[in-house]
Amino acid sequence: MKQTIKKILMILIFILAVFTLTVLIYIQQPKFGKVPSGERLERIKESPNYKNGSFQNLSHTPDLTEGANFFTVLWKFIYNRTPRLIPTDSVPHEKTNLLSLPKHEEILVWFGHSSYFMQIDGKRILVDPVFSGSASPLSFAIRSFPGSDVYKTEDIPEIDYLFITHDHWDHLDYQTVKKLEPRVKKVICALGVAAHLEYWGYPPEKIIEFDWYESADLDNGFSVHALPARHFSGRGFRRNLTLWASYALQTPSMRIFIGGDSGYDTHFAQIGEKFGGFDLAILENGQYNTQWKYIHALPKEVLQAAMDLQAKRILPVHSSKFALALHSWDDPWIRISEANETFNLKLLTPLIGQPVLLKDSIQVYSRWWEGLN
């Protein structure tokens, strides 16, 4: 009997050792990026937002809310019974030809989830592009919804400013940014994220990386300010070795808030006060749950954040492409539209690919998600 138990234990140890070795080999692939080191790491250590070996939020931010724990959340994901998590119908979309777009046209085109293109005041801007069809290190996992992958890297023109808010897989996509590199003039990213980009072939002179509350004049009347968000970072087992950020983009004619992932907190009101409001706030509304509300705002909180920012218009993103939370695919649109009956903000609800006219405050949008399965 003892010999049998010993053999079983040895087999289990062998299987565990093989699994561990396989994982260690797998995460050496380029798509996992690089940990900051050298002069970059020294700069990070001097950041007021870096303590005890990792970046910190401004407020205490537990990963999960009180009463929740890793095992209960994991159990819900494994035995998920969320109805309509992934649409069976194709997500409605348009296909705007960005390559032939006249430079004087001032529009925004949303690609689904948190990826979007802006053309304004003669500059072309791209934010968190993910065109590989997956938001996971495993290409077969977290696949894009049917109809949401209408754009590919080949559809993207030369980009003046590429913004990366943080290094999560659904915001920083290795395949996409690698292919785009020859067409990108300048990258704007949070502190530490440049370690990934340089490893993937981006010349250091192309990249500006910011700590919170740092800013830079770009050119032709454009400037950018890196601002706090309430979130976390990481592409592997270690978290918060790179920073996450939101941005205030000042163009010659508009001020735009690029939100990135964030739970609700006092920083939105502080930013609104500092900048005196925004013409447009682009805020993440999706992949939320009350069990992790500190790192992803709930729909009503998204509207409150827009109020705090003193935004004239709000574009909710972070939905309609990937299922990263336990809500139905259209829940973000339903809940934010219902909540806005109280807030009465100017809410933009474009189709994927539909041109949003940045200087047209009366453009009308449909409730395109209604009636879809």
Side-chain angles (χ1 to χ4, degrees):
M1 183 67 176
K2 289 183 178 179
Q3 286 296 107
T4 302
I5 294 174
K6 187 176 180 180
K7 286 182 180 179
I8 292 172
L9 287 173
M10 290 180 67
I11 291 170
L12 290 175
I13 291 170
F14 176 76
I15 291 172
L16 180 61
V18 170
F19 175 77
T20 302
L21 181 61
T22 301
V23 170
L24 290 173
I25 293 172
Y26 186 76
I27 64 174
Q28 300 307 309
Q29 295 182 82
K31 61 185 174 182
F32 284 88
K34 280 288 184 184
V35 172
S37 61
E39 292 182 5
R40 178 170 289 112
L41 180 58
E42 293 307 309
R43 180 187 170 194
I44 287 172
K45 289 178 178 178
E46 294 176 0
S47 168
N49 306 303
Y50 187 84
K51 300 173 185 176
N52 302 319
S54 64
F55 282 104
Q56 309 289 326
N57 284 294
L58 295 178
S59 300
H60 174 60
T61 304
D63 295 333
L64 299 172
T65 52
E66 297 77 8
N69 62 64
F70 171 79
F71 296 103
T72 59
V73 172
L74 181 63
W75 179 268
K76 286 185 177 181
F77 268 97
I78 293 173
Y79 294 98
N80 171 50
R81 295 291 183 272
T82 303
R84 302 173 61 255
L85 183 71
I86 297 173
T88 54
D89 292 334
S90 177
V91 176
H93 57 265
E94 293 183 12
K95 185 69 179 286
T96 301
N97 189 336
L98 304 179
L99 297 174
S100 62
L101 194 67
K103 288 292 290 276
H104 68 272
E105 289 194 22
E106 301 189 323
I107 70 168
L108 181 151
V109 174
W110 175 54
F111 303 127
H113 203 65
S114 296
S115 306
Y116 46 94
F117 167 90
M118 290 184 283
Q119 184 170 280
I120 182 168
D121 293 326
K123 297 291 185 182
R124 288 170 172 159
I125 298 153
L126 186 62
V127 179
D128 289 355
V130 178
F131 299 133
S132 68
S134 173
S136 166
L138 303 172
S139 59
F140 59 83
I142 314 180
R143 298 295 302 174
S144 52
F145 297 162
S148 67
D149 254 346
V150 64
Y151 283 91
K152 303 294 182 185
T153 52
E154 294 76 17
D155 298 310
I156 305 302
E158 185 175 67
I159 296 298
D160 293 289
Y161 309 125
L162 169 63
F163 282 81
I164 303 295
T165 61
H166 63 296
D167 68 1
H168 281 158
W169 296 84
D170 58 323
H171 293 259
L172 178 59
D173 183 57
Y174 167 70
Q175 290 185 33
T176 300
V177 298
K178 181 106 174 136
K179 290 180 182 177
L180 285 173
E181 189 277 327
R183 278 172 275 166
V184 172
K185 294 181 181 179
K186 187 69 69 177
V187 183
I188 294 159
C189 65
L191 185 55
V193 175
H196 302 309
L197 297 169
E198 289 179 11
Y199 179 50
W200 296 338
Y202 277 72
E205 58 270 20
K206 268 193 180 185
I207 306 170
I208 309 175
E209 56 181 330
F210 291 99
D211 202 349
W212 292 339
Y213 296 114
E214 292 182 337
S215 61
D217 291 325
L218 300 173
D219 55 13
N220 297 326
F222 281 74
S223 62
V224 61
H225 307 263
L227 299 165
R230 193 182 191 188
H231 199 54
F232 67 105
S233 67
R235 297 178 71 81
F237 294 115
R238 298 181 65 189
R239 286 185 168 192
N240 301 346
L241 300 181
T242 63
L243 190 59
W244 49 98
S246 61
Y247 302 98
L249 174 65
Q250 180 69 62
T251 83
S253 64
M254 293 187 74
R255 184 180 296 126
I256 299 171
F257 181 76
I258 298 171
D261 283 357
S262 181
Y264 181 74
D265 205 358
T266 56
H267 66 280
F268 289 112
Q270 293 167 359
I271 292 168
E273 184 68 24
K274 178 179 176 65
F275 289 93
F278 292 86
D279 297 292
L280 174 65
I282 306 166
L283 295 169
E284 313 294 286
N285 174 56
Q287 321 322 312
Y288 47 73
N289 190 291
T290 55
Q291 293 188 324
W292 56 84
K293 68 175 185 176
Y294 296 127
I295 54 176
H296 281 292
L298 302 174
K300 188 175 180 179
E301 294 174 326
V302 173
L303 293 172
Q304 184 59 57
M307 290 278 288
D308 293 349
L309 290 165
Q310 304 173 41
K312 295 177 183 177
R313 292 186 287 172
I314 171 177
L315 172 65
V317 297
H318 211 234
S319 70
S320 308
K321 190 165 186 174
F322 301 115
L324 295 165
L326 302 176
H327 57 64
S328 61
W329 74 269
D330 54 356
D331 192 66
W333 293 111
I334 294 170
R335 291 183 60 183
I336 201 168
S337 297
E338 290 176 348
N340 197 44
E341 293 176 5
T342 300
F343 283 84
N344 198 31
L345 300 177
K346 183 64 177 178
L347 186 67
L348 312 185
T349 62
L351 298 169
I352 289 175
Q354 177 184 358
V356 173
L357 307 179
L358 289 170
K359 300 293 180 67
D360 186 348
S361 62
I362 61 172
Q363 185 179 2
V364 177
Y365 304 89
S366 66
R367 294 185 174 231
W368 56 265
W369 59 90
E370 294 183 344
L372 297 174
N373 294 313

